[in-house]
Amino acid sequence: MEVRTIRSLRPNVTREEAIQTFTASGPASLFWKLRSGPLQRIADAYIPFRIYRVRFPMSGAQRTHLFALDAVDGSLDLFEFAAPPGDAETVSVFTRNNPASTLSEARSEELLRDKVLRVIFQQGFFKLRRIKLETEQLPGEIHLPYWLGFYGTPEDLRCRVLDAVRRRIEGAKVSALFEQWLAIQSVQKVEKLPDGVELTAGKAKVRVTVFREGLFRVRVAPAGTFPKDSSWAVIEAPEPGAIKIDDAKDEVRVTSGTTVARIKKSPLLIDFLRDVGDVLVADDSDLPMAWENGRVRVWKKMPADEGYYGLGDKAGPMNRRDRSFTMWNTDAFGWRESTDPLYKTIPFFIGLRKGLAYGIFFDNTWRSSFDFGKEGHDFYSFGAEGGEINYYFFGGPTPGKIVQDFSALVGRTKLPPLWTLGFQQSRYSYEPEERVYEVAKTLRDKKIPADAIYLDIDYQDGNAPFTVDRKKFPTFEKMISDLRAQGFHTVLITDLHIKKNPDHGYAPYDTGVKDDVFLKRADGTTYVGPVWPGDSVFGDFTLSRAREWWGGLYKNFVDMGVAGFWNDMNEPAIFLTSTKTMPPDVRHRLDDGTTLPHLAIHNVFGMENVRATSEGLLKLRPNERPFVLTRAAYAGTQRYAATWTGDNVAVWNHLGMSTPMLLSMGISGYGMVGDDIGGFAGTPTADLLTRWIEAGAFNPIYRDHTAKGTGDQEPWVHGAKHEAIRRHFIEERYRLLPYIYTSVEEMTRTGIPLMRPLLLEYPQSPEFFNDDSEFMFGHDLFVSPVTTELQDMKVIQLPPGAWYDYWTGEKSSDQELKKLKPALDEVPVYVRAGAIVPRQPLVQNTGETPNGPLGLRVYPGPDCKGSLYQDDGHTLAYEKGEFLRVSYSCQVGADAIRIVSTIEKDSYKPWWSAAEITVFGIGKAPKSVRVGDATIHEWRFDSAQHAVVFTLPEAKNSWTAELIL
Ligand code: MIG
């Protein structure tokens, strides 16, 4: 029999129905009976709680699994004993709401139950007065296919087990809780606005307006009054352009460009369509928009073939379908696939079917949630615990256009300093001073290129931000300038918590008190919370003057020549409290004199913190590009800071998870992103660190970082063989910098990230939509990092078109299936036929002038082109037009290949004047090589690489070269 998932939020189910469905649900003698809290008002809720022994046929191992019904979203969740009960074992919990790390050990089933209960209830979803737990060991033994025991990430495992269980449980019919949602009613009145329509439905008003062509906005005021319009994310002003409104009896249509909003009147339902008729997304007629007690929610139909991509740093597969997520910025040490929420809130996603794409940005900063099919199979939903129904709809039509439009709406990454694209070395913590010098020297002695060294919290005096521990760092200023002289940029951590340290001449505290910029509670007292320095106070970052105060704190470090700053813990993370953050009665002040509760500001607090840092640095060094690294973010934070994915773990699975997470960040507008190379928690094995350094060479931010107490993790730690491989990939990164920097500059103008999921480049090829392990690095490189220690065959399906092997130059045929066993020193990388890739001679850091010609690798193919952007790499002179831009193209004829270089802008003098050109895919030596009108003789044919190589001594002006075949 079928396990019915629940429309728990469906407005029209009665309490009686609910209870009935539940009691009819088969062998439900195991349950938790929940009463009280928000649930008691509605219905008694039962959570079936069942234990199964699962046998894995291949190993013969038995495991005990426990399935529970999650009363929040009505899903089945799996709790797994990793070893048979009785032993000292690990318990893994795969559920939506439980940070798995809180359940790391349990010795018996009793303990497990106890812990599960505690964890679920600690999440604050239920406030229980009484829990009744009845248990019975079910005799059932489920046989699951062998792969469950061996392959697959926990998230995979979870999905598959759930599937298996859904198919096997007899008579189980589950249903859960119903809240009294008030659904929107029928439209009584339609008013035309200059940019759209305002609809009256009962007491509620709904505005459907056009923001930009093909970009709509929906706002709902349940009681009929729209609050003041404001957003932390949106930076564009509306420019609706031409719109068309058709008000018919049953529906109103608002058309902008080729996108139509169709509002059905009874009840009010909003659909978005292409003007040719394709429905992009439609409200579910059983589930109109609704609200309850301050909460708001929107449901949409979920076609069987639609996937959902985006949502920022959510873990697990890029396609969010069949999962649900919470947005509540959280310090999530040692997160895994199932951990949610994580550090960031980017409430934006793309819905994608073959040939049809749209985007939705739910601009609501409260704790919000997105459910893509856990609640029901044919609808999805999003909503928040407070605030407005306020979402933007992007009509696309392509995923690329949606990413462009979304990133324009919330702001794009600013051009970063070039050094931040180099290799960065970090750990928690390099101390004392001698160790920092030693790490820097070793990198240089071993000729491992690097640009940055990070100092984590231990350089500070008692962990108080903006101080220096002079015992460990007696000549701190000299160290910074010595490092600088060796080509290292120093990045200092400066967390947002200010030590509560009155009467000690601690300026950050004293000036903050004097300026009244610290956060207060509802009763007017300053909020004090324990973090690294002990009792701490916090800037009220939603106030301009608090941001200015904070920005000014950087003066001393900036004067010392510190290059960049790292704002950690800004979720905000608070110790010794079960919520891990500030209490809800903290009041955030706004410039207009009003305040907002923490629940409304929590998710943007980190963003306003790094905004203060970035704006402060710009003020202190007006002609330098700031570099700030943040952990927490809301949509749009890329305007102020780069980011990383927080505290990952030094295990293979995390290396695998890094790709879909970084890709998801990229399509969520956040392109300057990396993860802790090698893993933060734990110590990587030699092979793992090597593979991670290989993969990281093709990530936007390339930073090796690890936790306190772990083994050393610098590239040289595992002996000569590993060191050589790692050096090789770091060197390749540096050789590719002209291509990388050009792609990053493109990202600042278009929002298209450096690291791109295949769906962005191939939206007509659904077979690539869910590719979580491969990606495009820039427009032309296809990268397939090795993220497993298994020696299995790696099968790579190349995307449409012909490709060249990046390492050997060998050309593959169209749509070739590659079957490879990459050795430890190999990463499959392919170049699109039709690419021209600029490169440079090796340097040890980006401050070093490359010695030699610009490299141009030409890969003949259709639509053959490339470009190069260069500037001084660190000032804002580029904003005044001081840059070089060159575009390249090639035409492939039957008996000639022509390569053209066109200078588009030459207001910056690059380091090169010569260019070395390598043309791949040439079967035999050409008859001649011509540059302009002249035939040249200095060229060579590389028969192994099927390439012709020649140098243009003067390549700074536009030129044309031709291979006569
Ligand atoms: O609670 O500053 O994610 O990168 O090394 C730990 C010490 C605080 C967490 C960050 C990590 C950093 C560490 N921090």
Side-chain angles (χ1 to χ4, degrees):
M1 261 177 76
E2 148 222 41
V3 177
R4 206 173 62 114
T5 35
I6 309 111
R7 294 191 164 200
S8 57
L9 304 168
R10 189 173 174 152
N12 53 356
V13 178
T14 64
R15 175 200 148 110
E16 285 63 39
E17 255 186 292
I19 293 176
Q20 227 193 343
T21 327
F22 182 78
T23 14
S25 64
S29 56
L30 304 176
F31 55 82
W32 295 331
K33 193 168 183 183
L34 307 178
R35 307 155 161 255
S36 88
L39 307 179
Q40 190 193 25
R41 285 183 296 120
I42 312 301
D44 288 348
Y46 301 83
I47 302 184
F49 181 91
R50 322 178 66 172
I51 297 174
Y52 291 90
R53 283 190 302 278
V54 179
R55 184 192 291 280
F56 295 93
M58 194 141 124
S59 66
Q62 283 215 15
R63 293 186 182 182
T64 301
H65 284 84
L66 179 156
F67 298 94
L69 179 71
D70 178 336
V72 173
D73 65 3
S75 63
L76 274 167
D77 280 315
L78 163 69
F79 304 87
E80 181 196 33
F81 278 94
D87 301 341
E89 76 290 288
T90 320
V91 175
S92 318
V93 179
F94 307 123
T95 100
R96 195 188 67 131
N97 298 315
N98 302 329
S101 56
T102 42
L103 277 184
S104 50
E105 83 298 322
R107 290 218 165 64
S108 65
E109 274 176 46
E110 269 59 51
L111 248 177
L112 169 73
R113 247 171 245 134
D114 194 51
K115 285 199 156 228
V116 168
L117 282 173
R118 258 189 288 132
V119 166
I120 290 187
F121 301 127
Q122 271 168 9
Q123 298 308 307
F125 290 102
F126 314 105
K127 295 203 180 61
L128 290 186
R129 277 207 292 268
R130 191 164 71 100
I131 302 168
K132 188 173 169 205
L133 176 64
E134 292 177 22
T135 60
E136 176 192 298
Q137 179 84 39
L138 283 184
E141 194 172 288
I142 306 179
H143 287 262
L144 294 170
Y146 69 89
W147 38 258
L148 275 171
F150 295 90
Y151 296 103
T153 59
E155 183 63 25
D156 263 4
L157 179 75
R158 175 175 176 279
C159 293
R160 288 171 186 173
V161 172
L162 285 186
D163 245 29
V165 170
R166 282 196 174 117
R167 275 184 264 112
R168 281 160 203 263
I169 295 179
E170 290 256 320
K173 205 171 178 195
V174 290
S175 192
L177 315 164
F178 305 91
E179 304 273 353
Q180 288 304 3
W181 289 87
L182 292 170
I184 187 105
Q185 301 176 6
S186 299
V187 174
Q188 292 123 2
K189 198 167 114 200
V190 177
E191 277 169 84
K192 293 191 182 172
L193 307 172
D195 54 353
V197 290
E198 180 170 298
L199 311 148
T200 306
K203 276 200 208 126
K205 285 207 190 314
V206 177
R207 276 185 201 154
V208 180
T209 55
V210 175
F211 197 82
R212 298 272 163 136
E213 188 176 305
L215 167 50
F216 289 75
R217 183 175 180 199
V218 175
R219 273 185 94 188
V220 180
T225 319
F226 287 96
K228 188 172 133 198
D229 193 13
S230 70
S231 170
W232 300 99
V234 171
I235 57 163
E236 275 189 320
E239 269 174 33
I243 66 164
K244 191 158 133 267
I245 300 171
D246 303 294
D247 185 5
K249 185 163 154 287
D250 297 330
E251 60 182 46
V252 194
R253 282 167 171 261
V254 182
T255 306
S256 162
T258 57
T259 314
V260 183
R262 173 177 69 192
I263 304 138
K264 296 185 191 130
K265 292 189 180 171
S266 187
L268 192 159
L269 298 167
I270 306 175
D271 304 342
F272 291 97
L273 343 164
R274 294 252 76 89
D275 57 356
V276 289
D278 296 326
V279 175
L280 290 166
V281 64
D283 278 1
D284 186 322
S285 51
D286 286 344
L287 298 162
M289 303 189 275
W291 45 88
E292 183 255 356
N293 220 351
R295 303 165 65 193
V296 295
R297 201 152 192 96
V298 176
W299 289 259
K300 303 271 178 201
K301 282 190 194 156
M302 188 170 75
D305 58 345
E306 192 162 274
Y308 303 94
Y309 305 85
L311 295 187
D313 65 343
K314 298 307 182 190
M318 272 195 299
N319 186 347
R320 310 308 192 184
R321 196 179 167 109
D322 296 330
R323 288 176 294 157
S324 64
F325 304 92
T326 298
M327 298 289 185
W328 182 253
N329 293 356
T330 303
D331 178 356
F333 172 84
W335 53 268
R336 48 171 95 178
E337 280 96 332
S338 52
T339 310
D340 184 61
L342 289 172
Y343 302 89
K344 303 172 185 41
T345 294
I346 310 188
F348 164 78
F349 64 89
I350 295 173
L352 179 64
R353 278 168 282 162
K354 184 178 169 140
L356 285 182
Y358 64 87
I360 287 182
F361 170 44
F362 179 45
D363 190 10
N364 181 311
T365 62
W366 291 67
R367 181 195 279 267
S368 58
S369 64
F370 290 76
D371 185 313
F372 293 106
K374 277 190 94 178
E375 194 189 321
H377 289 306
D378 50 6
F379 60 89
Y380 68 82
S381 69
F382 54 89
E385 300 297 308
E388 270 188 73
I389 292 183
N390 170 23
Y391 69 91
Y392 293 80
F393 176 85
F394 300 82
T398 60
K401 178 70 164 58
I402 294 163
V403 171
Q404 290 199 16
D405 289 351
F406 172 61
S407 60
L409 184 74
V410 301
R412 295 181 177 134
T413 303
K414 298 245 170 58
L415 192 60
L418 179 60
W419 64 264
T420 64
L421 297 173
F423 181 67
Q424 314 192 21
Q425 185 62 55
S426 180
R427 90 154 289 136
Y428 174 19
S429 302
Y430 285 130
E431 57 167 316
E433 223 167 80
E434 292 75 45
R435 177 63 181 151
V436 183
Y437 277 106
E438 186 181 29
V439 170
K441 181 167 184 304
T442 312
L443 285 164
R444 293 292 179 248
D445 286 353
K446 291 183 169 292
K447 293 212 170 311
I448 296 168
D451 266 83
I453 292 192
Y454 281 61
L455 299 189
D456 207 326
I457 53 175
D458 296 289
Y459 79 88
Q460 306 170 123
D461 187 6
N463 290 330
F466 305 102
T467 64
V468 172
D469 182 335
R470 293 288 169 179
K471 283 195 214 79
K472 295 181 197 157
F473 292 85
T475 62
F476 190 77
E477 292 80 352
K478 180 169 180 303
M479 176 192 73
I480 307 277
S481 59
D482 286 349
L483 290 175
R484 191 71 200 86
Q486 297 170 44
F488 286 105
H489 291 80
T490 308
V491 180
L492 295 184
I493 201 165
T494 50
D495 290 346
L496 75 175
H497 38 250
I498 292 294
K499 183 180 165 89
K500 186 180 176 203
N501 187 19
D503 309 322
H504 280 82
Y506 178 46
Y509 181 77
D510 296 343
T511 55
V513 170
K514 186 167 112 316
D515 295 356
D516 180 25
V517 291
F518 291 132
L519 267 182
K520 296 187 174 132
R521 309 186 72 146
D523 65 6
T525 59
T526 300
Y527 168 64
V528 180
V531 211
W532 291 116
D535 273 355
S536 303
V537 293
F538 302 81
D540 201 349
F541 292 110
T542 50
L543 270 183
S544 305
R545 59 186 179 77
R547 289 196 299 273
E548 277 158 33
W549 157 81
W550 173 263
L553 299 179
Y554 286 89
K555 180 159 192 323
N556 290 345
F557 285 153
V558 163
D559 289 347
M560 292 175 203
V562 176
F565 295 94
W566 176 17
N567 292 153
D568 184 22
M569 307 292 281
N570 53 1
E571 290 71 30
I574 308 288
F575 294 164
L576 306 179
T577 154
S578 64
T579 65
K580 305 209 279 186
T581 194
M582 294 177 177
D585 78 332
V586 164
R587 290 286 174 276
H588 299 259
R589 288 171 286 179
L590 306 179
D591 287 345
D592 66 5
T594 60
T595 63
L596 282 171
H598 187 66
L599 296 176
I601 291 301
H602 178 87
N603 285 337
V604 289
F605 196 63
M607 174 177 188
E608 294 308 295
N609 164 231
V610 292
R611 174 182 178 186
T613 309
S614 162
E615 290 175 352
L617 293 175
L618 256 180
K619 220 179 242 174
L620 292 165
R621 269 189 308 223
N623 197 30
E624 286 290 320
R625 303 174 204 171
F627 177 72
V628 183
L629 189 70
T630 185
R631 195 170 67 179
Y634 183 70
T637 306
Q638 61 270 13
R639 307 193 299 253
Y640 311 119
T643 191
W644 90 107
T645 60
D647 296 339
N648 61 358
V649 184
V651 294
W652 286 96
N653 186 37
H654 263 267
L655 172 55
M657 283 195 289
S658 118
T659 297
M661 186 178 274
L662 300 178
L663 291 173
S664 298
M665 285 294 288
I667 50 173
S668 306
Y670 223 125
M672 280 298 281
V673 57
D675 62 351
D676 287 352
I677 299 289
F680 182 72
T683 305
T685 60
D687 284 9
L688 175 59
L689 181 59
T690 295
R691 288 299 195 192
W692 216 317
I693 288 177
E694 293 175 0
F698 305 98
N699 293 163
I701 294 277
Y702 192 14
R703 186 182 70 135
D704 181 335
H705 181 57
T706 182
K708 203 171 193 135
T710 62
D712 283 349
Q713 198 165 299
E714 294 76 22
W716 58 80
V717 294
H718 295 111
K721 174 182 124 195
H722 284 279
E723 183 186 317
I725 302 173
R726 295 166 188 171
R727 178 188 298 105
H728 170 70
F729 279 87
I730 297 172
E731 287 179 352
E732 201 57 37
R733 165 84 173 198
Y734 276 78
R735 292 199 165 96
L736 262 178
L737 275 176
Y739 172 79
I740 295 173
Y741 194 56
T742 300
S743 305
V744 166
E745 194 272 341
E746 179 198 332
M747 172 166 88
T748 67
R749 287 181 291 112
T750 63
I752 301 296
L754 171 62
M755 191 174 164
R756 313 173 180 179
L758 293 165
L759 66 90
L760 215 52
E761 299 274 339
Y762 299 95
Q764 298 296 342
S765 305
E767 65 274 26
F768 293 105
F769 290 178
N770 295 332
D771 189 337
D772 285 319
S773 53
E774 286 146 351
F775 57 91
M776 299 300 297
F777 189 56
H779 183 255
D780 296 317
L781 300 191
F782 172 94
V783 183
S784 180
V786 181
T787 59
T788 157
E789 60 187 330
L790 300 178
Q791 293 300 304
D792 285 5
M793 187 79 82
K794 190 171 170 73
V795 181
I796 299 174
Q797 171 68 67
L798 288 170
W803 296 83
Y804 292 84
D805 186 306
Y806 176 77
W807 309 103
T808 64
E810 191 194 335
K811 193 170 177 184
S812 312
S813 54
D814 206 359
Q815 307 261 307
E816 191 170 315
L817 204 60
K818 294 273 177 195
K819 294 187 179 160
L820 311 167
K821 280 197 171 192
L824 188 61
D825 60 354
E826 291 176 329
V827 175
V829 179
Y830 297 90
V831 192
R832 191 197 299 269
I836 299 181
V837 177
R839 292 159 53 89
Q840 71 175 44
L842 183 61
V843 290
Q844 293 302 309
N845 67 83
T846 59
E848 194 181 310
T849 308
N851 182 10
L854 174 75
L856 280 182
R857 286 190 173 179
V858 181
Y859 300 90
D863 188 25
C864 178
K865 58 180 196 276
S867 62
L868 175 69
Y869 171 88
Q870 291 187 319
D871 61 19
D872 68 28
H874 64 102
T875 76
L876 298 178
Y878 73 96
E879 289 182 347
K880 291 183 241 118
E882 290 178 31
F883 58 85
L884 171 83
R885 195 190 297 283
V886 190
S887 67
Y888 305 105
S889 66
C890 79
Q891 288 108 43
V892 189
D895 39 21
I897 294 179
R898 222 160 100 91
I899 304 146
V900 180
S901 161
T902 312
I903 306 285
E904 309 272 349
K905 173 122 183 130
D906 65 348
S907 306
Y908 172 75
K909 187 172 170 303
W911 47 264
W912 51 271
S913 51
E916 184 192 74
I917 293 129
T918 309
V919 187
F920 290 93
I922 309 293
K924 59 180 198 326
K927 293 192 184 112
S928 65
V929 176
R930 298 162 65 96
V931 174
D933 295 335
T935 299
I936 59 164
H937 301 287
E938 302 73 40
W939 56 267
R940 66 190 167 82
F941 176 65
D942 180 336
S943 57
Q945 292 221 319
H946 301 291
V948 174
V949 187
F950 59 97
T951 301
L952 297 182
E954 267 313 320
K956 272 204 293 206
N957 297 321
S958 297
W959 49 261
T960 303
E962 209 164 6
L963 306 189
I964 311 296
L965 302 172

